[in-house]
Amino acid sequence: MSCCKRHKAGGSGKHHGGMKLMLFGMLVGLVLGLLFAPKPGSETLDAISDKIIRKLPV
């Protein structure tokens, strides 16, 4: 007995809408990341590298 009428007997059992859902989620994440980013990427990288360089014992 199958849990879903769309699945054929002996099928692989994969969900066909999974890829579309994943791509939609990635798109939403990208848009939200761009909307709520505190600083541009170059400024963030500079701030991180400055913190790492200051912690070096040299």
Side-chain angles (χ1 to χ4, degrees):
M1 200 169 186
S2 178
C3 66
C4 183
K5 292 181 180 180
R6 293 186 305 178
H7 291 152
K8 295 180 181 178
S12 63
K14 292 184 179 179
H15 297 284
H16 296 289
M19 183 62 81
K20 289 180 185 177
L21 184 62
M22 183 183 74
L23 290 175
F24 178 72
M26 290 171 62
L27 179 65
V28 169
L30 176 69
V31 170
L32 290 175
L34 290 174
L35 286 175
F36 295 109
K39 302 184 221 180
S42 60
E43 289 181 22
T44 304
L45 287 175
D46 288 341
I48 291 172
S49 63
D50 287 342
K51 288 179 184 179
I52 292 173
I53 290 173
R54 285 186 205 149
K55 289 184 179 182
L56 291 176
V58 177

